[in-house]
Amino acid sequence: MLSILIGHAYFLRFDPKQFERAKPYPPLATLQVAAQVRRAGHEVALFDAMLADGTADFEAQLRAQLPQVVVLYEDNYNYLSKMCLARMRAAACEMTAAARRRGARVLVAGSDPSDDPDPYLDAGAEVVLIGEGLEPLRQLLARLDRDLHAPVEQLCLGLSGIATRVGGQTVRRHDEAAAAAPAPAPVPASVADVSAGRQVLWLGADESPPSAPPRTPVDDVAWDLVDVDRYRAVWRGAHGRFSLNMAGSKGCSFRCAWCAKPIWGNRYQPRDPQAVAAEMLWLRQRLAPDHVWFADDIFGFRADWVRRFAAALAAGGGGLPFTIQTRADLITEAMADALRDAGCQEAWIGAESGSQRVLDAMHKGTTVEELHVARRRLGERGIRVGFFIQLGYLGEEIEDLRATRALIEATRPDDIGVSVSYPLPGTPFHEQVKAQLGAKTHWEDSGDLAMMFQGRYTSGFYRAFRDLLHRQVKLANSNATRDAEAARLRQERTRLRRQWQVLLGREHRHRTPVSGRAGAEQESQPRGVVAGIAAAT
């Protein structure tokens, strides 16, 4: 049996925008892996970076526990981990180096290591898991259990889905390369491990073998390793309620040109809806959240899945209000009914743009009309709607931005999230713009919102456009009950219209030159676009 410290490197304190939002969620994928490693018989501890002060907290835990193996497994459900923020990469590398100095064997997994293993190998990681990495992780831990000091070359023989260093060179081993390598005796996935004398169970699904004891959510997500009360205190202190996260599926089968899928590829893997309902009921009874955030890229996908989920919740006494992510083209009348019946409180839709031309360039597969229809259907059933919006996609012009503003004005979503297009490695979009990328290849944190390729406008212009969109949504959803409040609201709306006129009337001043270094900040006003708008109004 190995002593293993499993952790991740997303520190909320290193992301000022998210720290201010104060909506932290436990690292779901990390906890799932911790549960699987523990079921295999190992002694498991968790380092949860989310609410930690910094990497010094990780080093203190290393000193206290002296683990034989450290697994840095990023939360694949956290979209900010997929974005590979530079500050989090630096933290992961610091943690890797610290673990190696303490003599631990170090394995690393996540979106950024899958895309670019070199920084992690440079920091001292011995093996990087490519993609989800569950099978190579299982094999590596079984081999380390047999021989903790086995050289890396021996550990990796015959394995696929990994990256490591061979003779100073980074080598990615895929199925073909692994098949050609002489492999040691295989380690079975669901039979007795003779050397350790115990049952090894790595299923990654909702089913157990007939002979296995009944499983509870703790067997699949190591909730007992999390300081849930600390999360509860942050949430209640900032928002007066407590939310926890779940997942009913993995992955997404759609092929938007900008969306990276280094972990699950283009597969959509739904769980059994009864098992998902059982997990929610368990969370309600044991951890008592007020709300659940489903971290799926697409929740439910089919109305009949959601109906079975709703029925299982009802049979168990009722679930919890929840928020999901979905697509406009999936919101049929039947889906909207099923979501309402299941307890969906809020649905976030990847709207991206109000311009059909931009949606088609993204290979989004949805229409502007579907956005209007989905917003109406969900709203009629009392479900709040949020729109994710992207600004600055390749080829977007001022007419497309005006169309996005018109979409928000017409549909009046309850909330929006706005970003500029971010070229993630491994995407068609990244291939289109990679020749323009400069030294800045990652945002420092999620509030960066800097253009990293040669878009039509400067980053400052897009930030100003974002701010006005947010104000438009806020004012559209504001109501006044007193005369004085109504007068103030009219003034604010008049001011917003003037600010839109100023920004859009001067948009030509903020266009980037046809040629020039990509990623450069080229503000046409030294004091910035937002200050210029404020001064003009």
Side-chain angles (χ1 to χ4, degrees), residues 413-475:
D414 298 287
D415 202 353
I416 56 172
V418 186
S419 173
V420 295
S421 296
Y422 187 107
L424 289 163
T427 63
F429 175 42
H430 186 273
E431 288 300 307
Q432 287 178 289
V433 303
K434 68 179 181 180
Q436 303 175 18
L437 299 179
K440 187 180 181 70
T441 58
H442 295 76
W443 286 351
E444 185 69 15
D445 55 62
S446 65
D448 197 328
L449 211 73
M451 292 291 287
M452 294 191 295
F453 64 98
Q454 189 71 33
R456 171 58 68 191
Y457 296 98
T458 63
S459 297
F461 178 84
Y462 290 121
R463 290 178 185 130
F465 198 96
R466 169 203 61 188
D467 292 345
L468 293 186
L469 280 181
H470 276 292
R471 287 197 61 222
Q472 181 171 309
V473 170
K474 180 179 179 180
L475 291 176

Side-chain angles (χ1 to χ4, degrees), residues 105 126-127 139-140 142-144 146-159 162 164-166 173 181-185:
R105 310 299 299 264
E126 295 177 276
V127 184
Q139 294 275 3
L140 287 164
R143 293 174 185 183
L144 286 169
R146 290 172 173 170
D147 182 0
L148 181 61
H149 303 290
V152 175
E153 294 81 0
Q154 180 181 332
L155 287 176
C156 295
L157 281 176
L159 295 186
I162 61 170
T164 188
R165 288 272 164 82
V166 177
R173 294 186 174 176

Side-chain angles (χ1 to χ4, degrees), residues 159-438:
L159 295 186
S160 64
I162 61 170
T164 188
R165 288 272 164 82
V166 177
Q169 300 295 315
T170 301
V171 175
R172 285 177 176 257
R173 294 186 174 176
H174 301 289
D175 291 338
E176 299 81 6
V187 181
S190 297
V191 300
D193 183 336
V194 176
S195 65
R198 63 174 181 270
Q199 185 80 5
V200 178
L201 185 66
W202 285 59
L203 295 172
D206 293 314
E207 300 82 18
S208 296
S211 59
R215 280 164 61 185
T216 68
V218 170
D219 294 314
D220 296 313
V221 183
W223 285 112
D224 57 306
L225 298 181
V226 180
D227 188 348
V228 173
D229 287 338
R230 191 175 180 193
Y231 280 90
R232 191 191 316 276
V234 172
W235 270 92
R236 291 242 168 107
H239 309 287
R241 68 167 188 170
F242 174 40
S243 181
L244 280 177
N245 47 338
M246 291 180 58
S249 65
K250 294 178 180 179
C252 172
S253 58
F254 294 93
R255 297 174 182 266
C256 302
W258 46 265
C259 184
K261 299 179 180 180
I263 302 301
W264 297 305
N266 287 307
R267 297 171 298 161
Y268 180 74
Q269 305 169 65
R271 295 176 57 197
D272 179 78
Q274 282 80 15
V276 179
E279 183 175 342
M280 178 181 277
L281 294 170
W282 186 92
L283 287 178
R284 187 197 69 189
Q285 295 162 3
R286 301 296 182 89
L287 302 181
D290 305 300
H291 170 269
V292 163
W293 158 256
F294 275 99
D296 313 48
D297 291 329
I298 300 172
F299 176 82
F301 201 94
R302 293 168 56 98
D304 59 344
W305 188 100
V306 181
R307 281 196 296 267
R308 293 198 301 273
F309 172 64
L313 288 175
L320 293 161
F322 61 89
T323 297
I324 66 166
Q325 298 177 121
T326 187
R327 286 171 54 97
D329 53 346
L330 298 181
I331 305 301
T332 61
E333 295 282 358
M335 175 64 87
D337 284 341
L339 288 171
R340 176 200 59 206
D341 295 344
C344 181
Q345 185 178 72
E346 187 168 356
W348 280 82
I349 295 173
E352 319 306 350
S353 175
S355 165
Q356 192 61 53
R357 190 178 72 86
V358 172
L359 293 177
D360 292 344
M362 291 177 168
H363 300 164
K364 181 67 182 180
T366 56
T367 67
V368 175
E369 177 59 24
E370 286 170 333
L371 292 170
H372 285 262
V373 171
R375 198 298 178 235
R376 175 179 56 78
R377 286 174 174 165
L378 291 168
E380 288 173 348
R381 290 157 176 85
I383 298 173
R384 286 173 50 87
V385 175
F387 278 175
F388 290 121
I389 298 293
Q390 279 191 59
L391 305 177
Y393 194 76
L394 193 65
E396 183 183 65
E397 300 289 347
I398 190 62
E399 295 81 7
D400 304 305
L401 289 169
R402 289 180 183 274
T404 295
R405 180 196 170 193
L407 171 71
I408 299 303
E409 195 169 40
T411 58
R412 296 180 62 175
D414 298 287
D415 202 353
I416 56 172
V418 186
S419 173
V420 295
S421 296
Y422 187 107
L424 289 163
T427 63
F429 175 42
H430 186 273
E431 288 300 307
Q432 287 178 289
V433 303
K434 68 179 181 180
Q436 303 175 18
L437 299 179

Side-chain angles (χ1 to χ4, degrees), residues 405 464 467-469 471-472 474-475 486-504 529-537:
R405 180 196 170 193
D467 292 345
L468 293 186
L469 280 181
R471 287 197 61 222
Q472 181 171 309
K474 180 179 179 180
L475 291 176
R488 181 190 57 78
L489 196 55
R490 285 194 297 271
Q491 291 174 352
E492 286 295 311
R493 288 170 176 164
T494 298
R495 184 167 182 262
L496 176 62
R497 285 194 294 271
R498 290 173 180 167
Q499 289 176 324
W500 275 121
Q501 290 170 356
V502 170
L503 180 65
L504 297 177
V529 189
V530 177
I533 293 172
T537 57

